[in-house]
Amino acid sequence: FPGMLSNPRLVSVLGTLNVVMNQNVTLSCRTDSGSPPVRYTLFKNNQKVATVNTTDLTPGFFKLTISSASDTGGYKCKAEDSSSRGGKYSNSLTFTLLEPISKPLLSSPTSQAKKGQNVTLSCLSENGSLPITYIFFKERRNISPPVKMQKREAAVIFLLINSSSDFGTYKCRAENSFRNNTKYSNSFNFTLAAEERNHSQHLIISLGLILLLLIIGLALAIHFLVIPLYKASE
């Protein structure tokens, strides 16, 4: 029966608005009431895309290919029937383009540290749809909870170099909502600061000299004291 044209509903047949590059999608535009036939027109950012005519109140379908970021939206459809003036517009629809993440870069403002020093590590993927979740590791051991970044910014953690084991190999992992796309960073190692190395080298040299002097002293004592006493006792 004829009725007043209602605002149409625009939905993705996929049931999700998450898409990947070059994916084919179908939009369905449907009004629940009106006077057939019904004409559906799809717009993207107020620019006409396509028109579909139906003889009843069945939906109008629009097939699209998401080949670039500009194809994600915003979409609206317009419904017009035999009795309406100006037609009715639907809700707006925008897809979210899922982009695989690139290999993250693990870095620090300094690569040299000394014991007792606080340092930072930064992990960043230059490409990939947001949000991106980062996790930091040392020698394959998780050293941070997941850090979810909503912006294109590096995840940062703070560390205390407290012992020799803290100079080990560090890595980070990045992942987003793109399926089966987890990437690990480069390896990063802190090295002992030059003054610390010099101090250690000086200490080793000093101990070596002390040991050498002890050996020389012992040799001299044997030569001038032990041997004469032994000969005198014969």
Side-chain angles (χ1 to χ4, degrees):
F1 294 96
M4 183 178 294
L5 182 68
S6 62
N7 288 86
R9 288 172 296 151
L10 184 64
V11 298
S12 170
V13 174
L14 291 172
T16 176
L17 296 178
N18 294 331
V19 295
V20 297
M21 193 71 75
N22 297 320
Q23 182 174 340
N24 295 321
V25 297
T26 301
L27 295 180
S28 168
C29 185
R30 180 177 182 175
T31 182
D32 291 328
S33 63
S35 301
V38 179
R39 172 180 290 182
Y40 296 105
T41 304
L42 182 68
F43 295 87
K44 184 184 73 173
N45 297 324
N46 298 321
Q47 297 294 318
K48 182 178 176 180
V49 176
T51 298
V52 174
N53 294 308
T54 62
T55 58
D56 49 23
L57 295 179
T58 56
F61 295 99
F62 301 92
K63 294 184 178 181
L64 307 169
T65 299
I66 307 298
S67 56
S68 68
S70 63
D71 294 328
T72 57
Y75 293 97
K76 280 189 176 183
C77 72
K78 178 183 179 182
E80 299 171 277
D81 65 1
S82 58
S83 61
S84 65
R85 295 181 180 181
K88 296 288 183 69
Y89 285 88
S90 73
N91 54 295
S92 180
L93 202 67
T94 300
F95 290 98
T96 298
L97 185 62
L98 299 182
E99 180 186 4
I101 52 178
S102 58
K103 180 178 179 179
L105 174 65
L106 183 64
S107 62
S108 175
T110 179
S111 60
Q112 294 188 340
K114 55 186 178 181
K115 292 180 180 179
Q117 181 178 342
N118 290 307
V119 296
T120 60
L121 279 174
S122 301
C123 186
L124 175 65
S125 287
E126 291 287 351
N127 299 304
S129 51
L130 299 170
I132 298 177
T133 300
Y134 298 95
I135 299 179
F136 293 83
F137 298 87
K138 185 175 80 70
E139 308 292 351
R140 298 184 179 182
R141 180 174 58 86
N142 186 338
I143 60 170
S144 77
V147 181
K148 181 176 286 189
M149 302 300 296
Q150 301 289 345
K151 297 181 179 180
R152 189 75 59 190
E153 297 176 349
V156 179
I157 63 169
F158 299 89
L159 302 170
L160 174 63
I161 303 298
N162 200 35
S163 65
S164 299
S165 63
D166 294 327
F167 290 96
T169 301
Y170 293 87
K171 279 191 175 186
C172 68
R173 186 181 76 197
E175 58 189 12
N176 63 2
S177 53
F178 195 94
R179 288 186 177 181
N180 302 320
N181 184 237
T182 298
K183 295 290 180 65
Y184 285 87
S185 72
N186 54 294
S187 298
F188 188 91
N189 291 76
F190 291 102
T191 57
L192 191 64
E195 59 268 23
E196 291 278 313
R197 290 200 305 270
N198 292 337
H199 177 74
S200 298
Q201 291 172 355
H202 291 156
L203 182 61
I204 292 173
I205 292 172
S206 299
L207 291 175
L209 288 175
I210 293 172
L211 181 61
L212 180 61
L213 290 174
L214 288 173
I215 293 173
I216 293 174
L218 181 60
L220 291 174
I222 293 173
H223 180 74
F224 290 105
L225 295 176
V226 176
I227 294 178
L229 288 173
Y230 176 78
K231 289 182 177 180
S233 64
E234 290 181 346

